[in-house]
Amino acid sequence: MYRILKKEILAPKIKLIEVHAPEICSHAHPGQFIVLRMHEKGERIPLTIADSDPVAGLLTMVFQEVGKSTTELGTLNEGDVIQDIVGPLGTPRDIRKLDCVICVAGGVGVAPIYPEAKAYHKIGTKVISLIGAQTKDMLIFKDRMEQVSDEVYYSTDDGSFGHKGFVTEVLDDLLREGLCPDEVVVIGPLLMMREASRVTAKYGVKTIVSLNAIMVDGTGMCGSCRVTVDGETKFSCVEGPAFDGHKVNFDELIARQRRFLAEEKLAMEHYLAGAGGCKCHQK
Amino acid sequence: MSSKVRAQRHEMPKQAPDKRIKNFSEVTLGYTPELAVAEASRCIGCPKKPCVSGCPVGVDIPEFIALIAEGDFLGAAKKIKEKNSLPAMCGRVCPQESQCEAVCTLGKKGNPVAIGALERFAADFERLHADPLAEAQSSDLSMGKVAVVGSGPAGLTCAAELTKLGYKVVLFESLHATGGVLRYGIPEFRLPKDIVDEEVEYVKRQGVEIRLNVLVGTTVTLDELFAQGFDAIFLGTGAGLPYFLGVPGENLNGVYSANEFLTRTNLMKAYQFPEYDTPVSVGKRVVVVGGGNVAMDSARCALRLGAEKVAVVYRRSRTEMPARLEEVENAEEEGIEFMFLSNPVRILEDDKGWVKGMECIRMELGDADDSGRRRPVPVPGSEFILDVDTVISAVGTNPNPLLIRTVSGLALGRRGNVIADDETGMTNIPGVFAGGDIVTGSATVIAAMGAGKLAAHGIDEYVRTKNGRGM
């Protein structure tokens, strides 16, 4: 049982929770994730570790409410408990001193990119962060990212903050102007990671993406999260979630993310009609 | 009793096929006390006891059967538990027809004694009638401290056996529930999960401490466990990454590994979706590729989840199928179609990334291969297309690499399996033992239990020597 010690609403539908999980925190590395299950009937939900404090044993997770399970998770408050958390899972990112990296994050992807930016920054690598969101209200982790970045560029779809348009346009501009990073790290929606990988391919810049494939166990047992990388089937949970963005078959993965759309819709309707909905008629 | 009566084996009552394909309740219903006594009375108590040597954990089969024949059902259960901590499960899922029952003296003249069904009866009777608190518990656990990794059949058996030998055991499980393949793999209708719960409770009552959600190797490393004072570690992490078919289209929507399909259905209880949150989508026409028990379980789950037509495609013929005959017969009764000597060539895609068919090729049997079975060879030009929307691949698994990749210097075999000593279960690293599918590759529950038990004695010897206690 993991009690929620802290909860923050970072943006509409984007929430941060913190739990005490000392064993996970003392072994977590940037790029790894956990799987949580809220209760006996819950799904196993993979969430990237947004921060971990090995001294205090505090594990921070950030999620966006998109389906039934994340919406229900969003209703939990400080003091409530999560039944199961297992981790850290996945292959840690190989973070070593470089001259310059660009961290490109979209939407809720800012949270998982933060530990990587922080790790690069700590060992003296120049970190340039490009952060995109739909609107100014949806920008999260602004202060945290500014603390671990040498330069930060913002973009919003509606132009309410920073560049008006996509974060990948900012990336294209910087690379065209002659910026030569050793590596570009991209975390965000699949469409955005696919586009960012296309952009960097033009300039021949090494690109690492972090895939949020559908998982069940998260320990390599089921193969739900499989993805084609360089023509080979890989399991995101064991061999990933980070892969070379130029080698990932994004189109296949985008199709695979739609596997349970009908069931997800049904689950949401069932949830809204039942426990999660209006309780005014219940005693 | 006349020899004529002895020749007739009493079969367990079963749910009728047309009823059971609509539910996940257990298919076989177990003996009544009368049937159990009648079946037990068939045992002739032959002096050589071939059945005992046919049992990987050496259960005293004639003794427990004699107790059932006398009506001492609790005594029978106690007798079984001297050698086997998980009898309700073994009675259900052991391949008795190729072990104890295969060598039963009565088998030579006709039908062997239904040892599995009797084991199950005794265990079930005890579960329903005995006072769990009255069991003898191992109170003195001062021989040492052992970490057992994985709560599947190998780990549970190793833990229970070590407790009997006087060790304090902590059993680590990476999932949120115990049982390993007994929980995520074998479906409710073949092994009800309250049976798994009860047998795990029994192991806990023996003094085993269980820690869920711990992925040993990453949440805590082997070195840290030794530093925490564990004298030895047993790795029973089981089979891991599923193999896929290696044909074009294997990542299309509608293609599952059997592990994913069964984990969603059994561990996550997707058959109760949306009451439970995890979905599984099963189409109208399902094909399962493979010929083992996992293939039978997948096919029968698909049927119960509402598929209109389920077929099993297997590249060899019926006689080479590794699945238990009983399960094949159950599947046939339920209306599952078998297509032998057929092998997938590619999976066909509709315009939205979903499966719309599977192309197969006919096979014929050539010369025997390493396994002694005749090697299937494709018949050129014999391709045909199956009209399916769901493909379940049940063609085996790799050893799970997650833990073993964190242990430097651990000797591995060609297929990534852990190498363990046949006599002691010890790996090349002193104090680290292993058994079950992680060592052998996909095998049976009882083989894993046998390995867990063997390793428990290997651990006992190792720790005694290490701590200077002698044997």
Side-chain angles (χ1 to χ4, degrees), chain B residues 189-304:
Chain B
F189 57 80
R190 204 152 72 79
L191 178 62
K193 298 312 150 215
D194 53 6
I195 304 259
V196 180
D197 290 339
E198 182 48 48
E199 303 226 313
V200 171
E201 279 305 312
Y202 169 76
V203 171
K204 275 164 89 172
R205 285 196 301 269
Q206 303 303 302
V208 173
E209 178 188 339
I210 296 181
R211 289 200 55 205
L212 301 173
N213 298 313
V214 179
L215 185 62
V216 172
T218 43
T219 312
V220 57
T221 66
L222 292 197
D223 288 343
E224 287 168 330
L225 289 177
F226 280 125
Q228 286 170 20
F230 286 98
D231 294 296
I233 301 172
F234 174 76
L235 310 179
T237 51
L241 278 63
Y243 289 118
F244 282 88
L245 301 169
V247 301
E250 69 179 16
N251 294 343
L252 289 173
N253 289 353
V255 183
Y256 291 95
S257 73
N259 265 7
E260 177 180 0
F261 186 72
L262 292 173
T263 300
R264 285 180 178 276
T265 307
N266 303 327
L267 174 71
M268 305 309 296
K269 297 197 174 10
Y271 64 92
Q272 295 180 56
F273 176 85
E275 195 200 331
Y276 282 72
D277 291 341
T278 305
V280 66
S281 70
V282 59
K284 290 195 169 83
R285 295 171 311 280
V286 178
V287 64
V288 179
V289 182
N293 289 321
V294 173
M296 298 306 109
D297 287 343
S298 302
R300 298 171 71 199
C301 277
L303 204 61
R304 285 161 173 77

Side-chain angles (χ1 to χ4, degrees), chain A:
Chain A
M1 294 284 228
Y2 295 83
R3 193 167 297 281
I4 295 174
L5 301 174
K6 184 170 139 188
K7 176 180 178 177
E8 261 181 62
I9 297 172
L10 301 175
K13 289 188 180 286
I14 301 182
K15 291 170 182 170
L16 173 150
I17 50 175
E18 199 171 87
V19 298
H20 188 238
E23 275 184 322
I24 297 175
C25 291
S26 60
H27 295 88
H29 296 283
Q32 290 189 297
F33 65 96
I34 56 94
V35 164
L36 69 79
R37 195 179 72 132
M38 264 179 284
H39 49 69
E40 203 50 46
K41 293 180 177 177
E43 279 186 285
R44 291 174 65 92
I45 312 170
L47 289 178
T48 311
I49 295 169
D51 208 356
S52 59
D53 179 344
V55 180
L58 294 175
L59 176 72
T60 308
M61 295 157 284
V62 172
F63 59 95
Q64 183 161 22
E65 296 170 5
V66 283
K68 187 262 171 180
S69 292
T70 42
T71 302
E72 189 181 0
L73 186 60
T75 65
L76 298 187
N77 290 310
E78 287 173 8
D80 291 342
V81 293
I82 294 168
Q83 187 166 325
D84 305 291
I85 303 182
V86 62
L89 302 171
T91 302
R93 282 269 285 116
D94 177 23
I95 290 186
R96 55 185 72 183
K97 166 100 171 66
L98 299 170
D99 290 333
C100 174
V101 298
I102 299 184
C103 292
V104 187
V108 74
V110 187
I113 218 166
Y114 168 68
E116 303 199 21
K118 187 164 110 176
Y120 272 122
H121 182 73
K122 194 177 167 190
I123 55 173
T125 298
K126 181 177 181 184
V127 175
I128 299 174
S129 295
L130 279 50
I131 299 173
Q134 286 174 320
T135 64
K136 186 184 175 189
D137 288 349
M138 299 295 282
L139 278 173
I140 61 164
F141 267 39
K142 193 166 167 289
D143 295 345
R144 286 181 178 85
M145 286 304 287
E146 285 173 4
Q147 277 168 20
V148 299
S149 306
D150 296 90
E151 296 170 31
V152 186
Y153 295 82
Y154 293 98
S155 64
T156 47
D157 296 358
D158 66 352
S160 53
F161 195 77
H163 168 80
K164 180 176 191 298
F166 294 132
V167 69
T168 47
E169 293 161 4
V170 181
L171 175 66
D172 202 350
D173 288 345
L174 288 174
L175 295 176
R176 192 181 325 108
E177 284 161 15
L179 188 65
C180 265
D182 300 290
E183 186 177 288
V184 174
V185 184
V186 193
I187 306 182
L190 283 173
L191 289 172
M192 171 248 180
M193 290 194 283
R194 179 177 71 180
E195 180 56 22
S197 299
R198 273 183 196 155
V199 168
T200 58
K202 284 195 297 188
Y203 302 96
V205 181
K206 181 183 171 189
T207 302
I208 304 294
V209 295
S210 181
L211 304 178
N212 54 340
I214 297 173
M215 294 182 187
V216 185
D217 60 292
T219 61
M221 209 177 73
C222 82
S224 173
C225 66
R226 65 194 187 275
V227 52
T228 302
V229 181
D230 208 14
E232 278 181 49
T233 295
K234 302 273 187 194
F235 288 12
S236 303
C237 68
V238 172
E239 294 154 286
F243 290 104
D244 182 339
H246 298 147
K247 293 178 177 166
V248 171
N249 183 337
F250 281 105
D251 295 340
E252 177 188 271
L253 185 56
I254 288 165
R256 284 186 66 74
Q257 293 301 82
R258 302 174 60 83
R259 280 193 294 155
F260 296 105
L261 275 191
E263 288 80 8
E264 283 162 15
K265 190 165 171 272
L266 184 67
M268 195 66 186
E269 286 165 4
H270 182 260
Y271 174 65
L272 293 176
C278 152
K279 290 194 172 103
C280 55
H281 299 296
Q282 296 172 4
K283 284 214 166 174

